[in-house]
């Protein structure tokens, strides 16, 4: 679903291609409005054949009389009266499924009524219409909600639900790829599988989405055409067979070809039909086609596939032969003509000598789209008689599939390449593409093994590709949290020669990376902008190795030069730079390592601009990821959320589950500041689900930190400390070596709040201090001082908190972190009965949190202000507890959650005696005799409030 809602009332059109789930969308909308009076109507073709038959059915469902119109008034007025009457008691939601089947008079009445319903938030009307044709003119002025195709992740979830989780993962991926986002096609494919096929024990029918399934779903929309129109439909379907309209970044509008070319091709097709006579001129375009700016294409991709698959093989070959002739008539040559000629050959047939070579040579031209080049290489490989050539061209096809965001297709093409004998250099290229693909969407240890094998196989023939493979293997080790593996790979000497393809499992020793977080940001993953063919960034490996070894001064020089060189190249040769999003992303990673957030944002923006070029769809999600992390560390949480949301959509479109996990982690971190606990949990769980399955230690660490920070925001320091303790303390359960340090301030705050300051906290703060010296995080010095204030003797925190606030002022951004420091300082001052100073600090914290949108944190500041005798605006006490003071209310809620008096005292920074005193007052005020009764009363108040 698109996430668009019915908020605000009015009439909306819900559209999408056949089988997209429009009916399910309406049902979901109805479930999401439990307080509304919901009326559902499905268009009946028989009733709709009668003038105003559709309107009569709707009025009957509303319980209103349907005529006679002369007495009741015009149809539009009758409908408005019925809607207003039905919505008098409560909001009304009307769902009309297949409204395009209504008669024209009924559609016109609804369209006119829509004008009168604008701004009426008590009445919402959803009109579901099929997207295989233009929206009827009566509905043309209404706002439209598009039910988009399912993303790969959504499609996989639907299959898991349909099969109870028993579907084999490889089978599931094959079905997801074949369905291309159609829920109906997905379910139709899985329903006809045997139990053995569902479990992956028998081969799938090939292809999974065959003519029978496609025409069964779409055939009802492809009837009633003349023979000339049928020829045109097949010609258009054949012409765009190798086009992939999903190479773009937005919702697909469908692949198109020139209308003149389509008409010429259809004329040739009719001329090649046995016994065909002179063809009559074409009439208007069939309604399933859309013509825009001299181009024509299908409204529905499902219908396009059904037209092509449903035609007889000889008719499909004739259509391609006709298109080749039409292109040659227009003076065109090259890849399009070659592809149509290849598709027009009878099967089995002996290809014309040189056809495969010609196809592959034409596919080498980068001016063609990635999808067209992928199709050409695939056809060339299928025609090749030589095994080495076959493997080479399948590998080239896989590269193009990966670059346009078809990771699953890339892996299947690589499987074909592996089936052919090939020399070491070609096998190295196969493993390089496979490793890069799996790094996006698979177990990172498997990706590392493939990339290391590629580095070894390519060492002699292509040293630059070997170095690129080795650097990508470092990326895989980084994502897996293997600091020792990263250093081992970066220390391989003068190249990857002799590199073992297995992760290093020797003694770890006392690596600096075991003690020091290297940075806080995304893993420096390769982005396959050229799948190992781009330049390896000079100095990146050197700087990264020095950083991991703790030689911070030696690391800064190479990394700064890399950032500067990338900026100079991007500024001086924009077109050239646009071809290399990988270079810009390496620069963004280097800038994040250095803590230069402004440079990281600039490099990320350049990478995003480059990734928007045609054929670089695979780089979109990683570019958004780098931008999201840069904004998150700069304290711009709303911008980080925006980048992560867009990046998540791009990752789903291009089948990058690993990148999607990182975006979920960013969204969880952003939600832990300005979202709800449910949002944090949803994104953290989604990140962890992929992270645990694919070995993404970095994404898992960030997700767990987000959940712990949400606990702190809700006043649950014990839960936060329990989550963070294993992540930040030394030991086998410590989080990712590059990001665990970012969670230290939260851990120290949680531990100090519950009296665990001696539980290894001092050692962790010492490590945090050594990391802060490097300057990779502008907020780290102030956070370190805040941590020391939390742990300091009674006479020192005041000065330390004030010094931390001065450090916040000197750093870039950091409004949220400054507000946290002010909140903790205000709590400390209130506990010391320095109420006037406490109010100033807490008031400043409240303003800071509200400015950041950190609602839960702002509630903490308000509660502290109330406890100090100030009643800020906002916040309503639960019914039944209104007679308690703010402090009594907080103690009552803590006790209701199961805390002992001592735990309450530690949480609220008061003495146990104070808790005893207030608790007796609470019992007396509420008239309860035990903690059990108190728990019941608090729970009841929460339900009512």
């Amino acid at each position: 679903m698109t996430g668009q809602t019915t908020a605000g009332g009015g009439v909306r059109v819900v559209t999408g291609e056949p089988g997209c789930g429009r009916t399910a969308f309406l049902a979901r909308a109805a479930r999401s409005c439990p307080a509304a009076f919901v009326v559902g109507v499905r268009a009946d073709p028989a009733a709709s054949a009668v003038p105003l038959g559709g309107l009569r059915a709707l009025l009957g469902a509303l319980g209103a009389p349907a005529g006679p119109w002369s007495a009741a008034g015009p149809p539009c007025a009758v409908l408005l009266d019925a809607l207003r009457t039905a919505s008098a008691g409560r909001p009304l939601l009307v769902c009309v499924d297949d409204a395009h089947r209504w008669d024209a008079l009924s559609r016109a009445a609804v369209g006119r009524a829509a004008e009168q319903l604008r701004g009426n938030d008590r009445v919402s009307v959803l009109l579901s219409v099929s997207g295989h044709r233009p929206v009827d003119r009566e509905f043309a002025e209404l706002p439209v909600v598009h039910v988009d195709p399912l993303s790969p992740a959504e499609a996989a979830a639907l299959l898991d639900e349909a099969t109870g989780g028993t579907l084999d993962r490889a089978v599931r991926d094959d079905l997801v790829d074949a369905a291309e986002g159609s829920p109906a096609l997905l379910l139709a494919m899985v329903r006809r599988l045997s139990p053995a096929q569902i479990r992956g024990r028998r081969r799938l029918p090939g292809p999974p989405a065959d003519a029978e399934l496609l025409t069964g779903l779409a055939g009802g929309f492809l009837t009633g055409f003349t023979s000339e129109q049928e020829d045109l439909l097949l010609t258009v379907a054949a012409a765009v067979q190798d086009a992939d309209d999903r190479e773009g970044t937005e919702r697909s509008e469908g692949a198109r070809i020139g209308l003149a070319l389509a008409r010429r091709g259809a004329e040739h097709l009719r001329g090649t039909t046995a016994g065909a006579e002179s063809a009559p001129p074409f009439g208007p375009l069939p309604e399933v086609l859309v013509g825009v700016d001299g181009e024509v294409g299908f409204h529905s991709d499902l219908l396009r596939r059904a037209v092509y698959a449903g035609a007889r093989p000889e008719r499909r070959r004739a259509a391609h032969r006709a298109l080749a002739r039409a292109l040659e008539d227009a003076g065109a040559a090259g890849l399009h003509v070659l592809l149509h000629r290849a598709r027009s050959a009878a099967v089995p047939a002996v290809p014309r000598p040189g056809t495969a070579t010609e196809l592959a040579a034409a596919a080498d031209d980068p001016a063609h789209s990635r999808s067209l080049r992928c199709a050409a290489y695939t056809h060339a490989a299928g025609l090749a008689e030589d095994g080495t050539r076959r493997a080479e061209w399948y590998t080239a096809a896989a590269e193009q599939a990966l670059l346009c965001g078809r990771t699953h297709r890339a892996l299947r093409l690589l499987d074909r390449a592996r089936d052919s004998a090939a020399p070491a250099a070609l096998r190295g290229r196969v493993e390089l593409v496979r490793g890069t693909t799996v790094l996006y969407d698979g177990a990172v240890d498997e990706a590392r093994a493939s990339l290391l094998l590629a580095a070894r196989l390519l060492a002699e023939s292509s040293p630059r590709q070997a170095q690129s493979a080795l650097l990508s293997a470092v990326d895989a080790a980084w994502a897996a949290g293997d600091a020792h593996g990263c250093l081992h790979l970066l220390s391989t000497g003068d190249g990857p020669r002799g590199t073992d393809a297995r992760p290093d499992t020797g003694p770890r020793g006392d690596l600096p990376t075991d003690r020091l977080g290297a940075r806080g940001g995304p893993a420096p993953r390769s982005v396959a902008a050229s799948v190992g063919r781009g330049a390896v960034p000079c100095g990146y490996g050197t700087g990264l190795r020095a950083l991991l070894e703790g030689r911070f001064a030696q690391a800064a020089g190479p990394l700064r030069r890399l950032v500067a060189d990338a900026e100079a190249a991007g500024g001086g040769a924009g077109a050239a730079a646009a071809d290399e999003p990988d270079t810009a992303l390496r620069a963004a990673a280097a800038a994040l390592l250095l803590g230069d957030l402004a440079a990281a944002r600039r490099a990320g923006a350049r990478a995003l601009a480059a990734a928007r070029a045609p054929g670089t769809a695979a780089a979109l999600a990683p570019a958004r990821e780098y931008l999201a992390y840069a904004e998150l560390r700069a304290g711009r949480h709303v911008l980080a959320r925006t980048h992560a949301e867009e990046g998540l959509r791009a990752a789903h479109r291009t089948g990058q589950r690993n990148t999607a996990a990182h975006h979920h982690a960013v969204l969880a971190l952003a939600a832990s500041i300005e979202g709800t606990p449910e949002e944090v949990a949803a994104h953290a769980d989604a990140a962890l689900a992929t992270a645990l399955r694919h070995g993404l230690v970095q994404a898992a660490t960030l997700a767990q930190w987000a959940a712990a920070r949400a606990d702190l925001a809700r006043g649950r320091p014990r839960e936060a400390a329990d989550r963070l303790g294993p992540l930040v303390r030394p030991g086998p359960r410590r989080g990712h070596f590059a990001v665990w340090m970012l969670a230290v301030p939260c851990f120290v705050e949680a531990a100090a709040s519950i009296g665990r300051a001696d539980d290894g906290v001092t050692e962790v703060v010492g490590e945090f201090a050594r990391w802060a010296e490097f300057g990779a995080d502008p907020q780290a010095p102030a956070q370190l001082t805040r941590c020391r204030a939390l742990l300091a003797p009674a006479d020192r925190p005041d000065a330390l908190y004030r010094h931390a606030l001065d450090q916040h002022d000197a750093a870039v951004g950091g409004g949220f972190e400054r507000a946290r420091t002010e909140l903790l300082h205000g709590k400390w001052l209130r506990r010391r009965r320095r109420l006037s100073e406490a109010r100033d600090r807490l008031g400043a914290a409240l303003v800071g949190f509200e400015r950041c949108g950190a609602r839960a944190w702002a509630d903490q500041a308000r509660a502290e202000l109330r406890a100090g005798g100030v009643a800020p605006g906002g916040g309503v006490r639960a019914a039944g507890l209104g007679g308690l003071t703010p402090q009594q209310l907080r103690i009552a809620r803590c006790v209701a959650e199961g805390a002992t008096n001592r735990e309450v005292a530690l949480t609220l920074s008061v003495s146990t005696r104070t808790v005893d005193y207030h608790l007796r007052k609470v019992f007396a005020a509420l008239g309860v005799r035990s903690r059990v009764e108190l728990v019941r009363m608090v729970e009841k108040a929460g339900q009512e409030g």
Side-chain angles (χ1 to χ4, degrees), residues 161-176:
E161 179 183 346
T163 60
T166 61
L167 187 62
D168 178 77
R169 286 190 180 279
V171 174
R172 185 185 70 182
D173 290 345
D174 285 339
L175 297 182
V176 168

Side-chain angles (χ1 to χ4, degrees), residues 846-858:
L846 176 59
V847 171
F849 288 136
E850 288 179 337
R851 190 171 294 161
C852 296
R855 295 184 292 272
W857 298 88

Side-chain angles (χ1 to χ4, degrees), residues 128-319:
S128 161
V129 303
S130 179
H132 76 284
R133 57 193 286 279
V135 174
D136 294 293
R137 61 185 180 84
E138 296 87 357
F139 298 155
E141 300 300 321
L142 300 179
V144 176
V145 177
H146 290 279
V147 181
D148 295 329
L150 298 179
S151 70
E154 292 166 337
L158 178 61
L159 286 175
D160 286 340
E161 179 183 346
T163 60
T166 61
L167 187 62
D168 178 77
R169 286 190 180 279
V171 174
R172 185 185 70 182
D173 290 345
D174 285 339
L175 297 182
V176 168
D177 187 64
E180 298 187 2
S182 170
L185 185 54
L186 267 178
L187 296 175
M189 286 189 293
V190 78
R191 285 189 192 111
R192 71 173 185 174
L193 297 184
S194 68
Q197 288 172 327
I198 286 176
R199 289 171 173 78
R201 296 171 187 164
R202 299 186 70 178
R203 292 175 62 90
L204 293 179
D210 58 14
E212 180 183 355
L213 278 182
L214 290 168
T215 55
L217 288 172
F221 301 97
L222 296 173
T223 58
F225 299 121
T226 66
S227 60
E228 291 79 14
Q229 289 175 324
E230 289 176 350
D231 289 339
L232 182 61
L233 292 177
L234 179 56
T235 303
V236 174
V240 299
Q241 178 66 16
D242 295 315
D244 188 348
D245 50 288
R246 291 186 292 176
E247 288 188 29
T249 61
E250 303 297 336
R251 189 178 63 83
S252 165
E253 294 296 340
R256 295 171 183 161
I257 65 163
L259 178 58
L261 173 63
R263 291 190 185 278
R264 281 198 303 271
E267 289 169 356
H268 282 304
L269 176 59
R270 280 183 286 161
T272 58
T273 303
E277 299 185 5
S278 179
F282 285 101
L285 287 178
E287 65 176 7
V288 298
L289 294 181
V290 55
V292 179
D293 297 331
E295 293 186 328
V296 64
F298 279 81
H299 281 284
S300 163
D301 192 60
L302 181 70
L303 265 60
R304 176 195 64 77
R305 296 176 66 187
V307 166
Y308 189 81
R312 299 188 309 276
E314 60 270 21
R315 287 283 294 164
R316 291 199 296 267
R317 292 196 297 271

Side-chain angles (χ1 to χ4, degrees), residues 9-33:
V11 183
R12 290 176 174 84
V13 171
V14 178
T15 187
E17 69 172 327
C20 71
R22 290 179 291 111
T23 302
F25 184 95
L26 296 183
R28 179 179 176 180
R31 290 194 302 271
S32 68
C33 302

Side-chain angles (χ1 to χ4, degrees), residues 203-589:
R203 292 175 62 90
L204 293 179
D210 58 14
E212 180 183 355
L213 278 182
L214 290 168
T215 55
L217 288 172
F221 301 97
L222 296 173
T223 58
F225 299 121
T226 66
S227 60
E228 291 79 14
Q229 289 175 324
E230 289 176 350
D231 289 339
L232 182 61
L233 292 177
L234 179 56
T235 303
V236 174
V240 299
Q241 178 66 16
D242 295 315
D244 188 348
D245 50 288
R246 291 186 292 176
E247 288 188 29
T249 61
E250 303 297 336
R251 189 178 63 83
S252 165
E253 294 296 340
R256 295 171 183 161
I257 65 163
L259 178 58
L261 173 63
R263 291 190 185 278
R264 281 198 303 271
E267 289 169 356
H268 282 304
L269 176 59
R270 280 183 286 161
T272 58
T273 303
E277 299 185 5
S278 179
F282 285 101
L285 287 178
E287 65 176 7
V288 298
L289 294 181
V290 55
V292 179
D293 297 331
E295 293 186 328
V296 64
F298 279 81
H299 281 284
S300 163
D301 192 60
L302 181 70
L303 265 60
R304 176 195 64 77
R305 296 176 66 187
V307 166
Y308 189 81
R312 299 188 309 276
E314 60 270 21
R315 287 283 294 164
R316 291 199 296 267
R317 292 196 297 271
H320 286 291
R321 193 159 46 248
L323 282 163
R325 287 181 59 190
L327 285 166
E328 290 169 340
D329 290 346
L335 185 55
H336 288 88
V337 173
L338 287 171
L339 262 175
H340 286 304
R341 289 294 183 196
R343 285 189 176 276
S344 67
V347 179
V350 178
R352 179 174 60 84
T355 300
T357 304
E358 289 175 349
L359 270 174
D364 287 337
D365 184 356
H368 297 298
S369 70
R370 301 282 186 193
S371 57
L372 196 65
R373 295 172 69 189
C374 177
Y377 282 127
T378 302
H379 277 289
L383 297 172
E385 297 179 350
D386 178 69
T388 299
R389 285 289 195 182
R390 187 182 307 118
E392 177 186 354
W393 291 334
Y394 274 134
T395 304
E399 287 180 347
Q400 300 305 316
L402 173 61
L403 291 168
C404 64
R406 293 297 195 100
T407 54
H408 180 75
R409 185 164 298 179
L411 290 174
R412 288 293 172 262
L413 289 166
L414 291 171
D415 288 340
R416 297 185 196 177
R418 273 184 167 178
D419 291 340
S420 302
L426 182 52
R427 286 191 291 118
R429 187 175 158 202
V430 171
E431 294 302 326
L432 174 56
V433 181
R434 178 176 292 279
T436 304
T437 305
V438 176
L439 192 55
Y440 278 143
D441 191 49
V444 289
D445 281 342
E446 179 187 342
R448 179 170 20 165
S450 287
L451 291 163
L452 288 174
L453 178 58
R456 189 175 74 239
L457 293 171
L458 292 166
E460 295 289 346
S461 61
S462 181
R464 190 166 74 173
Q465 279 193 315
Q467 288 289 345
S468 179
L470 189 64
L471 194 57
S472 294
V474 173
D475 298 341
W478 184 290
D482 185 0
H484 187 75
C486 287
L487 267 177
H488 173 71
L489 294 171
L490 291 167
S491 306
T492 307
D494 59 354
R497 190 175 311 189
T499 300
D500 192 348
R502 294 168 297 176
D504 192 286
T505 56
R508 294 183 64 87
D510 187 22
L511 286 174
T513 48
D514 293 333
R515 296 181 284 104
L516 294 177
R519 67 180 205 138
R525 294 196 302 283
S526 80
V527 181
S530 50
V531 195
R533 295 181 179 177
V536 177
C538 180
Y540 184 84
T542 304
L544 185 59
R545 175 183 173 183
L547 187 65
L548 291 171
E549 291 175 342
R551 297 182 289 112
F552 299 141
Q554 291 84 351
L559 294 175
R560 287 198 180 102
R561 282 195 298 274
L562 189 156
V563 173
D565 290 347
E567 290 203 340
D579 293 333
E580 295 290 344
D582 193 45
T583 301
L585 288 173
R586 289 290 182 192

